[in-house]
Amino acid sequence: MEMKKKKIINMLLLAIVATVLSSTLAFGQSPRKAGIKGGLNVSNLYIDDVNDEDARYGFHVGFFGEVISSEAAALQLELLYSTKGSRAYYDGILNQEVKYNLNYLDLPVLAVIKLGETAEIHLGGYASYLLQANIQYDGDWGSGNEEVDRDRLRSFDYGLTGGVGFNFGAMQVGARYNYGLLKIANDDVSEAIIGNSKNSNAQVFVAFNLMHNR
């Protein structure tokens, strides 16, 4: 029953996102920009009670589209598969390295401020849905890879995002920073391990405007 419930939630979320994207892109004129994008994620959780912590290197990939676009500004929606997490080191009598791997479906909503045709500023927020989580560990306690019960982590996350983009014809390259506002632990066990950790990640991306010259 629990697995069926999670599948239904996933299907409803995807249906809602698809409805929002299709309805907004159909509003008024066709979008000036719409296409695909992807790039590098450098993520961290900033766990308090660890001896050291490194970023998790991953990726994001998905779609974007401008809504109600003008020469000076636009509203841009994106739908991205995005990896997040961190690598933590616990030192003491026994040493252990733990890699937290979190995979999300992100929906950024961005105000685009256009600085001519070559550059843009992106400011806004995002909502996320946790698709999957696991940990990889290695050290004195042993080595392995385990799935994390998703009920121990919040299914939904949200935060602020901002960055820049530079246009080269149909291609855009840019960078962005996403700052989570919600702690991801959802029970006492998770909070004892990762404390008040929140998602945080920097992105470098390449986007291709499939509406260019149309």
Side-chain angles (χ1 to χ4, degrees), residues 157-190:
D157 186 28
Y158 59 85
L160 302 176
T161 183
V164 295
F166 300 95
N167 301 314
F168 302 92
M171 182 178 71
Q172 182 181 89
V173 297
R176 185 179 298 170
Y177 183 74
N178 304 294
Y179 179 74
L181 297 176
L182 190 68
K183 70 177 185 179
I184 64 174
N186 197 42
D187 63 12
D188 293 338
V189 174
S190 297

PDB file of all heavy atoms in Angstrom, residues 157-190:
ATOM      1  N   ASP A 157      10.754  20.265  -0.827  1.00  0.00           N
ATOM      2  CA  ASP A 157      11.741  21.256  -0.423  1.00  0.00           C
ATOM      3  C   ASP A 157      11.479  22.521  -1.236  1.00  0.00           C
ATOM      4  O   ASP A 157      10.844  22.478  -2.298  1.00  0.00           O
ATOM      5  CB  ASP A 157      13.152  20.727  -0.682  1.00  0.00           C
ATOM      6  CG  ASP A 157      14.240  21.649  -0.147  1.00  0.00           C
ATOM      7  OD1 ASP A 157      13.971  22.366   0.837  1.00  0.00           O
ATOM      8  OD2 ASP A 157      15.340  21.666  -0.717  1.00  0.00           O
ATOM      9  N   TYR A 158      11.972  23.641  -0.747  1.00  0.00           N
ATOM     10  CA  TYR A 158      11.855  24.889  -1.499  1.00  0.00           C
ATOM     11  C   TYR A 158      12.981  25.815  -1.089  1.00  0.00           C
ATOM     12  O   TYR A 158      13.618  25.632  -0.043  1.00  0.00           O
ATOM     13  CB  TYR A 158      10.492  25.555  -1.279  1.00  0.00           C
ATOM     14  CG  TYR A 158      10.189  25.890   0.160  1.00  0.00           C
ATOM     15  CD1 TYR A 158      10.633  27.073   0.744  1.00  0.00           C
ATOM     16  CD2 TYR A 158       9.444  25.013   0.945  1.00  0.00           C
ATOM     17  CE1 TYR A 158      10.352  27.385   2.066  1.00  0.00           C
ATOM     18  CE2 TYR A 158       9.158  25.301   2.270  1.00  0.00           C
ATOM     19  CZ  TYR A 158       9.612  26.490   2.827  1.00  0.00           C
ATOM     20  OH  TYR A 158       9.343  26.777   4.135  1.00  0.00           O
ATOM     21  N   GLY A 159      13.237  26.823  -1.934  1.00  0.00           N
ATOM     22  CA  GLY A 159      14.314  27.742  -1.625  1.00  0.00           C
ATOM     23  C   GLY A 159      14.397  28.883  -2.614  1.00  0.00           C
ATOM     24  O   GLY A 159      13.506  29.084  -3.456  1.00  0.00           O
ATOM     25  N   LEU A 160      15.474  29.632  -2.513  1.00  0.00           N
ATOM     26  CA  LEU A 160      15.724  30.790  -3.365  1.00  0.00           C
ATOM     27  C   LEU A 160      16.797  30.443  -4.388  1.00  0.00           C
ATOM     28  O   LEU A 160      17.673  29.606  -4.142  1.00  0.00           O
ATOM     29  CB  LEU A 160      16.186  31.973  -2.516  1.00  0.00           C
ATOM     30  CG  LEU A 160      15.234  32.418  -1.413  1.00  0.00           C
ATOM     31  CD1 LEU A 160      15.874  33.529  -0.590  1.00  0.00           C
ATOM     32  CD2 LEU A 160      13.901  32.869  -1.986  1.00  0.00           C
ATOM     33  N   THR A 161      16.742  31.097  -5.527  1.00  0.00           N
ATOM     34  CA  THR A 161      17.727  30.839  -6.568  1.00  0.00           C
ATOM     35  C   THR A 161      18.056  32.127  -7.310  1.00  0.00           C
ATOM     36  O   THR A 161      17.214  33.013  -7.447  1.00  0.00           O
ATOM     37  CB  THR A 161      17.212  29.766  -7.557  1.00  0.00           C
ATOM     38  OG1 THR A 161      18.218  29.477  -8.524  1.00  0.00           O
ATOM     39  CG2 THR A 161      15.947  30.221  -8.259  1.00  0.00           C
ATOM     40  N   GLY A 162      19.283  32.228  -7.786  1.00  0.00           N
ATOM     41  CA  GLY A 162      19.703  33.393  -8.549  1.00  0.00           C
ATOM     42  C   GLY A 162      20.947  33.080  -9.364  1.00  0.00           C
ATOM     43  O   GLY A 162      21.742  32.213  -8.985  1.00  0.00           O
ATOM     44  N   GLY A 163      21.095  33.770 -10.493  1.00  0.00           N
ATOM     45  CA  GLY A 163      22.262  33.526 -11.322  1.00  0.00           C
ATOM     46  C   GLY A 163      22.277  34.419 -12.544  1.00  0.00           C
ATOM     47  O   GLY A 163      21.514  35.387 -12.650  1.00  0.00           O
ATOM     48  N   VAL A 164      23.157  34.075 -13.463  1.00  0.00           N
ATOM     49  CA  VAL A 164      23.321  34.839 -14.697  1.00  0.00           C
ATOM     50  C   VAL A 164      23.402  33.885 -15.883  1.00  0.00           C
ATOM     51  O   VAL A 164      23.764  32.710 -15.735  1.00  0.00           O
ATOM     52  CB  VAL A 164      24.605  35.708 -14.657  1.00  0.00           C
ATOM     53  CG1 VAL A 164      24.488  36.775 -13.582  1.00  0.00           C
ATOM     54  CG2 VAL A 164      25.843  34.844 -14.424  1.00  0.00           C
ATOM     55  N   GLY A 165      23.065  34.399 -17.047  1.00  0.00           N
ATOM     56  CA  GLY A 165      23.189  33.644 -18.283  1.00  0.00           C
ATOM     57  C   GLY A 165      23.733  34.526 -19.385  1.00  0.00           C
ATOM     58  O   GLY A 165      23.438  35.728 -19.430  1.00  0.00           O
ATOM     59  N   PHE A 166      24.527  33.939 -20.265  1.00  0.00           N
ATOM     60  CA  PHE A 166      25.122  34.654 -21.391  1.00  0.00           C
ATOM     61  C   PHE A 166      24.729  33.951 -22.685  1.00  0.00           C
ATOM     62  O   PHE A 166      24.924  32.738 -22.829  1.00  0.00           O
ATOM     63  CB  PHE A 166      26.639  34.721 -21.249  1.00  0.00           C
ATOM     64  CG  PHE A 166      27.094  35.421 -19.992  1.00  0.00           C
ATOM     65  CD1 PHE A 166      27.390  34.696 -18.852  1.00  0.00           C
ATOM     66  CD2 PHE A 166      27.194  36.802 -19.954  1.00  0.00           C
ATOM     67  CE1 PHE A 166      27.791  35.331 -17.685  1.00  0.00           C
ATOM     68  CE2 PHE A 166      27.593  37.458 -18.794  1.00  0.00           C
ATOM     69  CZ  PHE A 166      27.888  36.722 -17.664  1.00  0.00           C
ATOM     70  N   ASN A 167      24.162  34.715 -23.622  1.00  0.00           N
ATOM     71  CA  ASN A 167      23.611  34.148 -24.844  1.00  0.00           C
ATOM     72  C   ASN A 167      24.606  34.191 -26.000  1.00  0.00           C
ATOM     73  O   ASN A 167      25.249  35.218 -26.239  1.00  0.00           O
ATOM     74  CB  ASN A 167      22.339  34.905 -25.232  1.00  0.00           C
ATOM     75  CG  ASN A 167      21.286  34.847 -24.150  1.00  0.00           C
ATOM     76  OD1 ASN A 167      21.018  33.794 -23.587  1.00  0.00           O
ATOM     77  ND2 ASN A 167      20.680  35.993 -23.843  1.00  0.00           N
ATOM     78  N   PHE A 168      24.689  33.087 -26.697  1.00  0.00           N
ATOM     79  CA  PHE A 168      25.500  32.962 -27.911  1.00  0.00           C
ATOM     80  C   PHE A 168      24.635  32.315 -28.982  1.00  0.00           C
ATOM     81  O   PHE A 168      24.691  31.094 -29.194  1.00  0.00           O
ATOM     82  CB  PHE A 168      26.756  32.125 -27.648  1.00  0.00           C
ATOM     83  CG  PHE A 168      27.639  32.657 -26.550  1.00  0.00           C
ATOM     84  CD1 PHE A 168      27.476  32.219 -25.239  1.00  0.00           C
ATOM     85  CD2 PHE A 168      28.600  33.615 -26.815  1.00  0.00           C
ATOM     86  CE1 PHE A 168      28.279  32.718 -24.225  1.00  0.00           C
ATOM     87  CE2 PHE A 168      29.412  34.118 -25.806  1.00  0.00           C
ATOM     88  CZ  PHE A 168      29.248  33.661 -24.510  1.00  0.00           C
ATOM     89  N   GLY A 169      23.808  33.142 -29.621  1.00  0.00           N
ATOM     90  CA  GLY A 169      22.867  32.599 -30.584  1.00  0.00           C
ATOM     91  C   GLY A 169      21.824  31.757 -29.870  1.00  0.00           C
ATOM     92  O   GLY A 169      21.178  32.199 -28.922  1.00  0.00           O
ATOM     93  N   ALA A 170      21.663  30.519 -30.312  1.00  0.00           N
ATOM     94  CA  ALA A 170      20.682  29.625 -29.700  1.00  0.00           C
ATOM     95  C   ALA A 170      21.177  29.010 -28.395  1.00  0.00           C
ATOM     96  O   ALA A 170      20.408  28.371 -27.685  1.00  0.00           O
ATOM     97  CB  ALA A 170      20.328  28.512 -30.681  1.00  0.00           C
ATOM     98  N   MET A 171      22.437  29.216 -28.055  1.00  0.00           N
ATOM     99  CA  MET A 171      23.013  28.609 -26.855  1.00  0.00           C
ATOM    100  C   MET A 171      23.171  29.631 -25.745  1.00  0.00           C
ATOM    101  O   MET A 171      23.513  30.787 -25.996  1.00  0.00           O
ATOM    102  CB  MET A 171      24.376  27.985 -27.181  1.00  0.00           C
ATOM    103  CG  MET A 171      25.029  27.284 -25.991  1.00  0.00           C
ATOM    104  SD  MET A 171      26.612  26.492 -26.415  1.00  0.00           S
ATOM    105  CE  MET A 171      27.640  27.963 -26.638  1.00  0.00           C
ATOM    106  N   GLN A 172      22.911  29.204 -24.521  1.00  0.00           N
ATOM    107  CA  GLN A 172      23.159  30.039 -23.348  1.00  0.00           C
ATOM    108  C   GLN A 172      24.020  29.264 -22.357  1.00  0.00           C
ATOM    109  O   GLN A 172      23.784  28.081 -22.103  1.00  0.00           O
ATOM    110  CB  GLN A 172      21.847  30.440 -22.666  1.00  0.00           C
ATOM    111  CG  GLN A 172      22.044  31.352 -21.457  1.00  0.00           C
ATOM    112  CD  GLN A 172      20.742  31.732 -20.768  1.00  0.00           C
ATOM    113  OE1 GLN A 172      20.278  31.040 -19.871  1.00  0.00           O
ATOM    114  NE2 GLN A 172      20.138  32.844 -21.216  1.00  0.00           N
ATOM    115  N   VAL A 173      25.021  29.927 -21.806  1.00  0.00           N
ATOM    116  CA  VAL A 173      25.827  29.348 -20.733  1.00  0.00           C
ATOM    117  C   VAL A 173      25.659  30.244 -19.513  1.00  0.00           C
ATOM    118  O   VAL A 173      25.474  31.464 -19.634  1.00  0.00           O
ATOM    119  CB  VAL A 173      27.313  29.226 -21.114  1.00  0.00           C
ATOM    120  CG1 VAL A 173      27.491  28.276 -22.285  1.00  0.00           C
ATOM    121  CG2 VAL A 173      27.915  30.587 -21.447  1.00  0.00           C
ATOM    122  N   GLY A 174      25.690  29.636 -18.334  1.00  0.00           N
ATOM    123  CA  GLY A 174      25.471  30.447 -17.152  1.00  0.00           C
ATOM    124  C   GLY A 174      25.798  29.712 -15.877  1.00  0.00           C
ATOM    125  O   GLY A 174      26.262  28.564 -15.874  1.00  0.00           O
ATOM    126  N   ALA A 175      25.551  30.390 -14.774  1.00  0.00           N
ATOM    127  CA  ALA A 175      25.801  29.843 -13.444  1.00  0.00           C
ATOM    128  C   ALA A 175      24.678  30.285 -12.519  1.00  0.00           C
ATOM    129  O   ALA A 175      24.087  31.359 -12.703  1.00  0.00           O
ATOM    130  CB  ALA A 175      27.147  30.322 -12.911  1.00  0.00           C
ATOM    131  N   ARG A 176      24.409  29.455 -11.514  1.00  0.00           N
ATOM    132  CA  ARG A 176      23.292  29.723 -10.617  1.00  0.00           C
ATOM    133  C   ARG A 176      23.590  29.135  -9.241  1.00  0.00           C
ATOM    134  O   ARG A 176      24.315  28.150  -9.118  1.00  0.00           O
ATOM    135  CB  ARG A 176      22.019  29.095 -11.194  1.00  0.00           C
ATOM    136  CG  ARG A 176      20.742  29.389 -10.425  1.00  0.00           C
ATOM    137  CD  ARG A 176      19.546  28.745 -11.100  1.00  0.00           C
ATOM    138  NE  ARG A 176      19.356  29.277 -12.442  1.00  0.00           N
ATOM    139  CZ  ARG A 176      18.514  28.762 -13.317  1.00  0.00           C
ATOM    140  NH1 ARG A 176      17.807  27.685 -13.011  1.00  0.00           N
ATOM    141  NH2 ARG A 176      18.374  29.314 -14.503  1.00  0.00           N
ATOM    142  N   TYR A 177      23.014  29.766  -8.215  1.00  0.00           N
ATOM    143  CA  TYR A 177      23.133  29.236  -6.862  1.00  0.00           C
ATOM    144  C   TYR A 177      21.740  29.037  -6.279  1.00  0.00           C
ATOM    145  O   TYR A 177      20.888  29.929  -6.380  1.00  0.00           O
ATOM    146  CB  TYR A 177      23.935  30.182  -5.965  1.00  0.00           C
ATOM    147  CG  TYR A 177      24.149  29.639  -4.566  1.00  0.00           C
ATOM    148  CD1 TYR A 177      25.050  28.613  -4.335  1.00  0.00           C
ATOM    149  CD2 TYR A 177      23.432  30.144  -3.493  1.00  0.00           C
ATOM    150  CE1 TYR A 177      25.245  28.098  -3.061  1.00  0.00           C
ATOM    151  CE2 TYR A 177      23.615  29.643  -2.212  1.00  0.00           C
ATOM    152  CZ  TYR A 177      24.529  28.622  -2.008  1.00  0.00           C
ATOM    153  OH  TYR A 177      24.713  28.109  -0.748  1.00  0.00           O
ATOM    154  N   ASN A 178      21.510  27.867  -5.679  1.00  0.00           N
ATOM    155  CA  ASN A 178      20.226  27.524  -5.084  1.00  0.00           C
ATOM    156  C   ASN A 178      20.398  27.337  -3.577  1.00  0.00           C
ATOM    157  O   ASN A 178      21.226  26.527  -3.136  1.00  0.00           O
ATOM    158  CB  ASN A 178      19.676  26.238  -5.691  1.00  0.00           C
ATOM    159  CG  ASN A 178      19.550  26.317  -7.192  1.00  0.00           C
ATOM    160  OD1 ASN A 178      18.759  27.081  -7.720  1.00  0.00           O
ATOM    161  ND2 ASN A 178      20.357  25.533  -7.896  1.00  0.00           N
ATOM    162  N   TYR A 179      19.609  28.067  -2.799  1.00  0.00           N
ATOM    163  CA  TYR A 179      19.724  28.026  -1.348  1.00  0.00           C
ATOM    164  C   TYR A 179      18.426  27.498  -0.750  1.00  0.00           C
ATOM    165  O   TYR A 179      17.376  28.144  -0.830  1.00  0.00           O
ATOM    166  CB  TYR A 179      20.020  29.431  -0.798  1.00  0.00           C
ATOM    167  CG  TYR A 179      20.128  29.489   0.704  1.00  0.00           C
ATOM    168  CD1 TYR A 179      21.240  28.977   1.357  1.00  0.00           C
ATOM    169  CD2 TYR A 179      19.104  30.052   1.467  1.00  0.00           C
ATOM    170  CE1 TYR A 179      21.337  29.031   2.737  1.00  0.00           C
ATOM    171  CE2 TYR A 179      19.195  30.106   2.849  1.00  0.00           C
ATOM    172  CZ  TYR A 179      20.318  29.589   3.472  1.00  0.00           C
ATOM    173  OH  TYR A 179      20.413  29.633   4.842  1.00  0.00           O
ATOM    174  N   GLY A 180      18.477  26.305  -0.153  1.00  0.00           N
ATOM    175  CA  GLY A 180      17.296  25.708   0.446  1.00  0.00           C
ATOM    176  C   GLY A 180      16.892  26.398   1.734  1.00  0.00           C
ATOM    177  O   GLY A 180      17.742  26.788   2.543  1.00  0.00           O
ATOM    178  N   LEU A 181      15.588  26.535   1.955  1.00  0.00           N
ATOM    179  CA  LEU A 181      15.058  27.200   3.140  1.00  0.00           C
ATOM    180  C   LEU A 181      14.456  26.231   4.156  1.00  0.00           C
ATOM    181  O   LEU A 181      14.065  26.645   5.248  1.00  0.00           O
ATOM    182  CB  LEU A 181      13.991  28.215   2.730  1.00  0.00           C
ATOM    183  CG  LEU A 181      14.466  29.366   1.850  1.00  0.00           C
ATOM    184  CD1 LEU A 181      13.284  30.234   1.434  1.00  0.00           C
ATOM    185  CD2 LEU A 181      15.523  30.207   2.551  1.00  0.00           C
ATOM    186  N   LEU A 182      14.385  24.951   3.810  1.00  0.00           N
ATOM    187  CA  LEU A 182      13.717  23.978   4.663  1.00  0.00           C
ATOM    188  C   LEU A 182      14.687  22.878   5.067  1.00  0.00           C
ATOM    189  O   LEU A 182      15.390  22.318   4.212  1.00  0.00           O
ATOM    190  CB  LEU A 182      12.532  23.367   3.899  1.00  0.00           C
ATOM    191  CG  LEU A 182      11.563  22.493   4.683  1.00  0.00           C
ATOM    192  CD1 LEU A 182      10.786  23.339   5.685  1.00  0.00           C
ATOM    193  CD2 LEU A 182      10.593  21.801   3.726  1.00  0.00           C
ATOM    194  N   LYS A 183      14.769  22.565   6.367  1.00  0.00           N
ATOM    195  CA  LYS A 183      15.621  21.454   6.781  1.00  0.00           C
ATOM    196  C   LYS A 183      15.038  20.160   6.228  1.00  0.00           C
ATOM    197  O   LYS A 183      13.819  19.969   6.204  1.00  0.00           O
ATOM    198  CB  LYS A 183      15.771  21.400   8.298  1.00  0.00           C
ATOM    199  CG  LYS A 183      14.539  20.994   9.066  1.00  0.00           C
ATOM    200  CD  LYS A 183      14.848  20.900  10.563  1.00  0.00           C
ATOM    201  CE  LYS A 183      13.644  20.364  11.337  1.00  0.00           C
ATOM    202  NZ  LYS A 183      13.938  20.238  12.783  1.00  0.00           N
ATOM    203  N   ILE A 184      15.917  19.258   5.788  1.00  0.00           N
ATOM    204  CA  ILE A 184      15.446  18.081   5.048  1.00  0.00           C
ATOM    205  C   ILE A 184      15.129  16.897   5.942  1.00  0.00           C
ATOM    206  O   ILE A 184      14.438  15.975   5.516  1.00  0.00           O
ATOM    207  CB  ILE A 184      16.460  17.675   3.966  1.00  0.00           C
ATOM    208  CG1 ILE A 184      17.783  17.243   4.596  1.00  0.00           C
ATOM    209  CG2 ILE A 184      16.662  18.805   2.968  1.00  0.00           C
ATOM    210  CD1 ILE A 184      18.762  16.688   3.567  1.00  0.00           C
ATOM    211  N   ALA A 185      15.626  16.878   7.198  1.00  0.00           N
ATOM    212  CA  ALA A 185      15.316  15.775   8.110  1.00  0.00           C
ATOM    213  C   ALA A 185      13.832  15.797   8.463  1.00  0.00           C
ATOM    214  O   ALA A 185      13.248  16.866   8.695  1.00  0.00           O
ATOM    215  CB  ALA A 185      16.166  15.885   9.370  1.00  0.00           C
ATOM    216  N   ASN A 186      13.232  14.592   8.543  1.00  0.00           N
ATOM    217  CA  ASN A 186      11.799  14.509   8.773  1.00  0.00           C
ATOM    218  C   ASN A 186      11.441  13.720  10.028  1.00  0.00           C
ATOM    219  O   ASN A 186      10.265  13.552  10.333  1.00  0.00           O
ATOM    220  CB  ASN A 186      11.098  13.883   7.562  1.00  0.00           C
ATOM    221  CG  ASN A 186       9.608  14.145   7.546  1.00  0.00           C
ATOM    222  OD1 ASN A 186       9.167  15.247   7.840  1.00  0.00           O
ATOM    223  ND2 ASN A 186       8.829  13.122   7.206  1.00  0.00           N
ATOM    224  N   ASP A 187      12.444  13.210  10.752  1.00  0.00           N
ATOM    225  CA  ASP A 187      12.186  12.516  12.009  1.00  0.00           C
ATOM    226  C   ASP A 187      13.398  12.660  12.924  1.00  0.00           C
ATOM    227  O   ASP A 187      14.431  13.220  12.542  1.00  0.00           O
ATOM    228  CB  ASP A 187      11.812  11.050  11.776  1.00  0.00           C
ATOM    229  CG  ASP A 187      12.926  10.240  11.124  1.00  0.00           C
ATOM    230  OD1 ASP A 187      14.076  10.724  11.046  1.00  0.00           O
ATOM    231  OD2 ASP A 187      12.654   9.102  10.695  1.00  0.00           O
ATOM    232  N   ASP A 188      13.274  12.135  14.137  1.00  0.00           N
ATOM    233  CA  ASP A 188      14.334  12.301  15.129  1.00  0.00           C
ATOM    234  C   ASP A 188      15.615  11.577  14.732  1.00  0.00           C
ATOM    235  O   ASP A 188      16.718  12.060  15.020  1.00  0.00           O
ATOM    236  CB  ASP A 188      13.853  11.784  16.488  1.00  0.00           C
ATOM    237  CG  ASP A 188      12.731  12.635  17.070  1.00  0.00           C
ATOM    238  OD1 ASP A 188      12.621  13.807  16.654  1.00  0.00           O
ATOM    239  OD2 ASP A 188      11.986  12.130  17.925  1.00  0.00           O
ATOM    240  N   VAL A 189      15.497  10.433  14.087  1.00  0.00           N
ATOM    241  CA  VAL A 189      16.685   9.673  13.681  1.00  0.00           C
ATOM    242  C   VAL A 189      17.496  10.460  12.655  1.00  0.00           C
ATOM    243  O   VAL A 189      18.710  10.624  12.791  1.00  0.00           O
ATOM    244  CB  VAL A 189      16.283   8.295  13.116  1.00  0.00           C
ATOM    245  CG1 VAL A 189      17.511   7.573  12.553  1.00  0.00           C
ATOM    246  CG2 VAL A 189      15.619   7.448  14.183  1.00  0.00           C
ATOM    247  N   SER A 190      16.829  10.968  11.626  1.00  0.00           N
ATOM    248  CA  SER A 190      17.522  11.740  10.598  1.00  0.00           C
ATOM    249  C   SER A 190      18.112  13.019  11.170  1.00  0.00           C
ATOM    250  O   SER A 190      19.231  13.408  10.829  1.00  0.00           O
ATOM    251  CB  SER A 190      16.560  12.086   9.455  1.00  0.00           C
ATOM    252  OG  SER A 190      16.104  10.920   8.814  1.00  0.00           O
TER     253      SER A 190
END
